[in-house]
Amino acid sequence: AAGVIQSPRHLIKEKRETATLKCYPIPRHDTVYWYQQGPGQDPQFLISFYEKMQSDKGSIPDRFSAQQFSDYHSELNMSSLELGDSALYFCASSLAEGANEKLFFGSGTQLSVL
Amino acid sequence: DAKTTQPTSMDCAEGRAANLPCNHSTISGNEYVYWYRQIHSQGPQYIIHGLKNNETNEMASLIITEDRKSSTLILPHATLRDTAVYYCIVRVAWVNRDDKIIFGKGTRLHILP
């Protein structure tokens, strides 16, 4: 079965650079979530989109922005990168149909800021 | 505020049942109990969820107390591959709308050979 696809798998950037992370949800899924997981930390919710509109927002820095496109894939744009942005970034998708749907997570993008 | 409380870590012998407890004393009537796990640096993986009845699937069983203030995840025959951080999460159930998952601290389960 198709899973959530994230790219790239690894990304190395320098301070003050920009980065773009991509997420391709499971086919037919209309909701995408982004999470950040720092070293030794639990995943923290950043932002979510439903039907291409932002549906919820967590602890996402102003330097970050995200969007969901017409094909439901999503991109997380990160500018003015800081050392503290080094983390594992997960995308998850779900189908907002009926109640208590499951979230399916991708394998993540490991971002290293040098 | 944390909605769930779990032990920081647990050990279990390979082949034995692993019983992971979770307290969620402030759970609301419209909140489900979900369990996810995260094997080192991989994406979190859904295990099971339930509202008030006990649930079982191919991975695990979920026992929810009658007052719904606590639950136990049971891995019936733990293997080394079950070593992971296990997250107990309460999540509102909406109809035709979805909601994020908020991860707490989780239980680090070590399966011992």
Side-chain angles (χ1 to χ4, degrees):
Chain A
V4 177
I5 306 296
Q6 290 188 247
S7 68
R9 186 71 179 92
H10 301 275
L11 189 59
I12 299 174
K13 291 286 184 177
E14 298 203 351
K15 282 195 323 182
R16 293 181 288 277
E17 285 192 321
T18 62
T20 297
L21 279 53
K22 297 185 178 183
C23 170
Y24 298 87
I26 291 172
R28 289 188 59 233
H29 281 194
D30 50 19
T31 307
V32 168
Y33 312 78
W34 285 97
Y35 288 80
Q36 177 191 59
Q37 186 172 27
Q41 303 294 313
D42 303 298
Q44 298 294 314
F45 171 72
L46 292 179
I47 196 166
S48 62
F49 292 86
Y50 167 65
E51 283 291 344
K52 293 153 278 183
M53 299 289 290
Q54 181 181 308
S55 55
D56 202 350
K57 196 172 181 180
S59 50
I60 183 169
D62 292 340
R63 299 177 290 107
F64 294 6
S65 65
Q67 56 183 324
Q68 186 179 30
F69 294 86
S70 58
D71 64 351
Y72 294 102
H73 94 272
S74 178
E75 295 183 4
L76 178 66
N77 298 293
M78 311 160 71
S79 62
S80 302
L81 287 169
E82 302 174 356
L83 297 178
D85 296 329
S86 295
L88 202 46
Y89 290 83
F90 291 109
C91 169
S93 75
S94 68
L95 178 62
E97 178 183 276
N100 65 89
E101 289 296 322
K102 303 182 277 286
L103 268 66
F104 294 86
F105 285 80
S107 299
T109 293
Q110 177 67 59
L111 173 67
S112 299
V113 181
L114 306 179
Chain B
D1 292 339
K3 286 193 162 187
T4 64
T5 305
Q6 299 176 248
T8 302
S9 66
M10 292 181 64
D11 292 338
C12 179
E14 189 177 17
R16 299 288 187 133
N19 296 277
L20 290 85
C22 179
N23 287 319
H24 31 80
S25 58
T26 60
I27 193 169
S28 301
N30 65 345
E31 287 182 317
Y32 282 69
V33 179
Y34 280 75
W35 283 84
Y36 277 75
R37 74 180 182 183
Q38 186 176 27
I39 297 169
H40 180 64
S41 294
Q42 296 181 22
Q45 177 189 25
Y46 167 81
I47 301 173
I48 199 167
H49 74 283
L51 183 63
K52 53 184 177 182
N53 297 322
N54 297 338
E55 302 288 344
T56 295
N57 63 21
E58 65 280 1
M59 288 183 69
S61 294
L62 174 60
I63 309 298
I64 302 174
T65 58
E66 195 167 340
D67 63 6
R68 302 211 320 126
K69 293 185 177 183
S70 66
S71 61
T72 301
L73 176 74
I74 301 172
L75 307 178
H77 305 287
T79 71
L80 297 177
R81 286 180 293 182
D82 292 321
T83 292
V85 178
Y86 287 76
Y87 294 97
C88 170
I89 297 152
V90 295
R91 181 179 180 228
V92 175
W94 300 95
V95 177
N96 293 325
R97 185 194 136 177
D98 236 335
D99 201 7
K100 60 188 177 292
I101 279 176
I102 299 298
F103 291 91
K105 288 300 177 188
T107 295
R108 188 169 296 275
L109 177 66
H110 299 276
I111 305 301
L112 307 174

